[in-house]
Amino acid sequence: MEPVRMLQILFSLEDGPVIETVIIPCARGRTTVCVSSQVGCAMNCQFCFTGRMGLRKHLSTAEIVEQAVFARRLFSDEFGAITNVVFMGMGEPFHNIDNVMKASAIMVDDQGLHFSPRKVTVSTSGLVPQLKRFLCESNCSLAVSLNATTDEVRNWIMPINRKYNLNLLLGTLREELCHRKNYRVLFEYVMLSGVNDSMDDAKRLIELVQGIPCKINLISFNPHSGSQFKPTPDEKIIEFRNILIQGGLIVFVRLSRGDDQMAACGQLGEPGDYQLPLLRVPEKFQVAL
């Protein structure tokens, strides 16, 4: 069975910028809308096309919610009911925490869009104070973009780690989730060839998440113009997955979808003439790139 194609929607805002929303159908009957929370992003993750833009604008609560409203109104007949919402489009949701909290609350309210809180997932690169607030105030699901097993690598590919390192981020999750029942954080892990995909990385990942109720989502990297990274071969992703499963983890694999449309994970946005600088590549990874 051929996979159902993703649909990319462009919204022009009143003050000029364009944001991107993606509808992701699934053969199993689930249809997800991936919403943006900002125009651009300030986090400068080195593998992310949106991160090249820098931050242009925080979206208002209404601008976030309307992405899901329009997706439901315009495309439910074509793709079936929109069942899930993920805050994984343009922007770092927790950098726009007030509006994201309000928007996610509207999405799950009985008088709002009436999604199940388990079906609304907010993703973060690891802003720890906002993460703690989210876990205290929201019943929605949480995803954390991890993408590395050492501070050396994460400092490079995700500069936010220089402020909130792995020990602080994972320690906070361990502490905050130890008393919550039936709640698992989703760790997203973009596989970058020669950077974070060794079997030693897999073993370190098992150790890092000990004591945190979680699921792991291994994501195939989607190349884009100016990218210095290469995707991990599918067979190596499966080998990496198998080690995690042997270590007792719940693991999903998301192979590439939508990359031919520049609609896939990490490909949204249009940097334009001004782009945030690429960071210096650590010497031991220069050959891999």
Side-chain angles (χ1 to χ4, degrees), residues 55-105:
L55 177 64
R56 311 282 173 88
K57 168 184 164 70
H58 292 300
L59 297 189
S60 69
T61 300
E63 288 168 337
I64 298 170
V65 173
E66 284 172 356
Q67 295 172 67
V69 170
F70 275 103
R72 176 182 274 180
R73 182 181 300 163
L74 298 177
F75 298 103
S76 287
D77 288 344
E78 181 176 353
F79 294 109
I82 304 293
T83 57
N84 296 60
V85 180
V86 294
F87 285 71
M88 299 180 185
M90 299 169 67
E92 161 56 60
F94 285 178
H95 193 204
N96 187 16
I97 184 68
D98 290 335
N99 291 332
V100 165
M101 292 288 288
K102 293 173 187 174
S104 59

Side-chain angles (χ1 to χ4, degrees), residues 41-54:
C41 183
M43 298 299 105
N44 198 19
C45 295
Q46 297 294 284
F47 51 85
C48 180
F49 193 61
T50 311
R52 311 288 339 115
M53 296 176 64

